[in-house]
Amino acid sequence: MRKLLNTLYITSSEYYLSLDGENVIISQSKKEIGRLPLHNLEAIVTCGYAGASPALMEKCAADNISMTFLSTSGRFRAKVTGKAYGNILLRRTQYRMADNGGQALEIARNFMIGKIYNQRSVINRAIRDYAERLETERLIAVSEQLKESLQKAREADTIEILRGNEGEAASHYFSQFDQLILQQKEEFHFETRNRRPPLDKVNALLSFAYSLLTGMCAAALETVGLDPYAGFMHTDRPGRCSLALDLVEELRAPYADRFVLSCINKKMVDCSDFEEKENGAVFLNEAGRKKFLSLWQSKKAEKLTHPFLQENIEWGLVPYVQALLLARFVRGDLDGYPPFLWK
């Protein structure tokens, strides 16, 4: 099992990254404010505009340290990667399967089964844990609707029908998301999912968490030798990590959504962590990003029993394990891709 190494998060837009020997140097206004040995790092994620030196990017690419650039709102901008180390035969098989309608549908269906199953699990967990504080009748009704959507996804015989089922399930799930916010209701409320840009604090947190999770999935797919740009559910588009977006789907609810709800309900974030733009867009401010990323790192280190492997692993390794299982299926070592089914 691959160790969960450290990720360096740069939250200030004023910090510049450079290389000194085997160390990454963090500078502000050309003054060094910190340094870290690269051999301790698995990834670097920077949120801002100052950037990084070409020498550091070259070194990270050579040492297989992923380097991801996000906007201050958490939106993906670019990623530095080195040579593709994956088996060319594995990738060729992946491309053939992506171009084969029946095979692509089979894999996409399992991604969506995982997504809808996990959305229902989040709802059911809330009913079990907070029955006295919630309108349980509405939640039970949504759970039943998601159960129906799950069956429809299993029976979908085209990608278009499957996408329709996914949209229907998402509508049911998010219709009750505001109920799951138990604290700070005056400041954190959810009406509907919106993005590009997010228009409220909850959507700002969800978008940022999804961006981080997508980066983790893309890195995991690269690691196991798959092409993160050749998806089965999401269509091809230049610069779009379609397979990473496929893999993210089944992890959104149990990983990102529950993390965001915990941050709000445990009062680990508050209204002082956000800023609102003139166009109504709401984003985490610099202090909020720093706090959120620190909490995200702690979440990655938490343990769970993987539902398919039945092994204890860190949450941060879940994208890697799922990518590995997908690679095994593509190679023919598994009869089907086992989605992550959280209970």
Side-chain angles (χ1 to χ4, degrees):
M1 182 59 69
R2 182 164 159 262
K3 290 184 179 179
L4 183 62
L5 300 178
N6 294 325
T7 299
L8 171 63
Y9 288 103
I10 303 298
T11 59
S12 174
S13 59
E14 299 178 357
Y15 290 171
Y16 182 77
L17 304 180
S18 58
L19 180 69
D20 181 16
E22 297 294 320
N23 300 293
V24 55
I25 308 301
I26 307 165
S27 303
Q28 185 177 21
S29 301
K30 299 184 178 181
K31 181 180 179 181
E32 180 179 329
I33 61 173
R35 66 169 53 211
L36 287 169
L38 283 170
H39 69 262
N40 287 340
L41 297 177
E42 180 185 57
I44 298 173
V45 178
T46 177
C47 309
Y49 302 97
S53 71
L56 176 63
M57 289 188 277
E58 180 182 12
K59 178 66 174 174
C60 287
D63 292 355
N64 202 28
I65 299 172
S66 69
M67 194 170 191
T68 305
F69 296 87
L70 305 178
S71 70
T72 53
S73 64
R75 189 172 181 182
F76 177 84
R77 282 178 162 171
K79 183 179 179 182
V80 174
T81 59
K83 294 180 180 179
Y85 295 101
N87 186 329
I88 183 60
L89 299 180
L90 177 66
R91 291 200 174 200
R92 282 187 172 178
T93 303
Q94 175 191 352
Y95 300 145
R96 286 194 292 268
M97 294 176 76
D99 289 337
N100 182 306
Q103 290 180 315
L105 175 63
E106 178 185 354
I107 301 172
R109 187 188 291 120
N110 282 357
F111 285 135
M112 290 303 106
I113 287 172
K115 178 175 184 176
I116 300 170
Y117 181 98
N118 291 332
Q119 287 174 333
R120 187 167 184 251
S121 291
V122 169
I123 296 295
N124 289 343
R125 177 71 68 92
I127 295 170
R128 188 190 74 188
D129 293 346
Y130 305 106
E132 296 180 358
R133 304 177 62 181
L134 301 171
E135 297 181 36
T136 55
E137 290 185 3
R138 292 170 60 191
L139 289 173
I140 291 171
V142 165
S143 177
E144 287 302 309
Q145 289 172 327
L146 290 172
K147 184 178 181 180
E148 293 177 8
S149 295
L150 187 59
Q151 185 58 36
K152 290 178 182 178
R154 291 192 178 103
E155 297 171 352
D157 55 8
T158 69
I159 287 287
E160 290 72 23
I161 292 175
L162 189 62
R163 291 192 182 113
N165 295 336
E166 185 271 338
E168 178 185 73
S171 178
H172 295 321
Y173 171 71
F174 280 119
S175 73
Q176 298 304 307
F177 199 75
D178 189 64
Q179 267 215 75
L180 308 185
I181 300 171
L182 305 174
Q183 300 289 339
Q184 307 186 86
K185 294 291 287 188
E186 291 186 4
E187 294 293 339
F188 292 90
H189 46 81
F190 182 90
E191 293 183 7
T192 186
R193 178 76 182 113
N194 53 66
R195 55 195 185 275
R196 301 195 189 103
L199 301 176
D200 57 68
K201 298 179 184 67
V202 180
N203 274 291
L205 293 174
L206 289 173
S207 291
F208 198 64
Y210 293 162
S211 292
L212 295 173
L213 189 55
T214 301
M216 290 169 63
C217 288
L221 291 164
E222 282 277 7
T223 300
V224 302
L226 292 168
D227 185 344
Y229 291 88
F232 301 101
M233 179 76 178
H234 289 81
T235 55
D236 293 343
R237 186 183 301 170
R240 183 189 204 184
C241 293
S242 296
L243 185 58
L245 293 174
D246 286 349
L247 191 60
V248 162
E249 295 295 353
E250 64 192 79
L251 302 179
R252 288 183 192 269
Y255 202 141
D257 294 357
R258 289 184 67 246
F259 174 74
V260 166
L261 289 169
S262 292
C263 287
I264 298 170
N265 290 335
K266 294 181 180 179
K267 300 183 179 180
M268 295 184 288
V269 296
D270 56 47
C271 60
S272 67
D273 296 317
F274 299 83
E275 59 181 310
E276 184 173 347
K277 304 296 185 180
E278 292 182 0
N279 63 351
V282 178
F283 301 118
L284 283 163
N285 57 30
E286 184 176 322
R289 288 194 301 274
K290 184 175 181 179
K291 184 188 298 184
F292 190 84
L293 290 168
S294 176
L295 295 167
W296 183 261
Q297 280 294 87
S298 297
K299 169 66 177 178
K300 288 168 65 176
E302 292 177 5
K303 295 289 187 73
L304 78 154
T305 300
H306 190 277
F308 182 77
L309 299 181
Q310 291 300 302
E311 293 182 11
N312 288 331
I313 63 170
E314 296 92 346
W315 269 103
L317 284 175
V318 171
Y320 172 74
V321 171
Q322 292 307 119
L324 186 62
L325 292 172
L326 180 60
R328 289 177 179 174
F329 168 65
V330 172
R331 281 198 301 266
D333 297 335
L334 291 174
D335 292 334
Y337 167 68
F340 180 79
L341 302 176
W342 179 75
K343 296 181 180 180

